[in-house]
Amino acid sequence: MGEDLPTISAWPRVVGAMARVIHVFRAPDRFIAGTVGQPGDRTFYLQASEQSRLISVALEKQQVQVLAERIGSLLEEVHRRFGTDVPDDAPPDDLDTEPLEVPVEEEFRVGTMGLGWDAESKAVVIELLAISEEEVDEAVVLDDTEEGPDAVRVFLSPSAARAFAERADRVVNAGRKPCPLCAEPLDPDGHICPRQNGYRRTEED
């Protein structure tokens, strides 16, 4: 990808020293965020598929949220710097509302995420690297070096990237309803609301 790919960010700095496997999806049929489990006890996944290949990686809710936000910022920068057409909203045909493909088998848990723009293919590049206890050299992010953590690298058109970010936002916000009084998440069995002097408030209240 060379000099045409400005790296927007790579976070946090963790990596392993073993020979790595990089799963590359240059023309994915799907790349989506989704969850398994009930509100309040959800596990978040990113899932990429292309023809017969299917990879699912687990990550934290906050990582999904940050990735969606940074994709939006990257698309704005790409439009400003390169004049690339970037949709303000995802085209309806690019919106994927279907659930994760099952069975969801975790390839690894994400520690580091990288985000960039490939000017040659005019694609957003998302890289998800496996978590490790050892410190990382950021040079391994969005790079084919042989040493480092296993990774999933996905290429998305600007419209597909916008669609991914919009779905990711919906997934993040589809959890527990907030308490109308204190804004803390409501569990199905309720929670101790500080605005109600310790009264246990439920979703039905």
Side-chain angles (χ1 to χ4, degrees):
M1 287 178 274
E3 296 180 354
D4 289 333
L5 179 57
T7 299
I8 303 303
S9 54
W11 70 97
R13 300 186 64 192
V14 287
V15 74
M18 298 176 61
R20 65 200 308 223
V21 176
I22 304 176
H23 305 274
V24 180
F25 294 81
R26 290 193 172 272
D29 300 315
R30 301 180 80 198
F31 180 59
I32 58 171
T35 61
V36 174
Q38 298 300 314
D41 190 28
R42 297 186 297 169
T43 301
F44 286 78
Y45 291 94
L46 299 183
Q47 189 177 77
S49 61
E50 185 175 340
Q51 298 181 358
S52 61
R53 293 192 298 145
L54 177 68
I55 294 288
S56 302
V57 294
L59 70 173
E60 299 298 325
K61 176 181 178 179
Q62 185 178 13
Q63 289 175 297
V64 178
Q65 187 172 25
V66 169
L67 181 58
E69 292 171 354
R70 296 197 180 188
I71 285 174
S73 298
L74 173 60
L75 290 174
E76 292 175 6
E77 183 172 342
V78 165
H79 176 69
R80 178 178 59 82
R81 291 179 58 182
F82 304 111
T84 304
D85 289 334
V86 173
D88 293 331
D89 299 298
D93 290 346
D94 285 342
L95 290 174
D96 189 330
T97 59
E98 296 299 313
L100 295 169
E101 189 169 335
V102 294
V104 179
E105 298 179 351
E106 180 181 319
E107 185 74 14
F108 57 74
R109 179 164 287 276
V110 176
T112 302
M113 298 189 293
L115 185 63
W117 173 252
D118 183 1
E120 182 177 352
S121 61
K122 295 184 178 180
V124 173
V125 186
I126 299 167
E127 183 150 294
L128 311 164
L129 293 88
I131 196 168
S132 172
E133 295 179 355
E134 298 183 23
E135 192 168 343
V136 69
D137 177 353
E138 288 185 1
V140 306
V141 182
L142 297 169
D143 194 273
D144 293 332
T145 179
E146 293 183 359
E147 292 188 353
D150 290 351
V152 173
R153 184 181 299 159
V154 181
F155 290 71
L156 298 176
S157 68
S159 60
R162 183 74 77 187
F164 168 84
E166 289 186 11
R167 173 179 172 130
D169 280 335
R170 290 197 302 272
V171 168
V172 167
N173 294 318
R176 293 172 288 174
K177 297 179 182 179
C179 173
L181 296 180
C182 71
E184 291 297 319
L186 279 171
D187 290 319
D189 296 332
H191 79 134
I192 305 300
C193 180
R195 299 289 297 276
Q196 289 284 317
N197 295 321
Y199 171 70
R200 181 171 288 277
R201 186 177 182 89
T202 68
E203 293 184 10
E204 286 73 26
D205 287 347

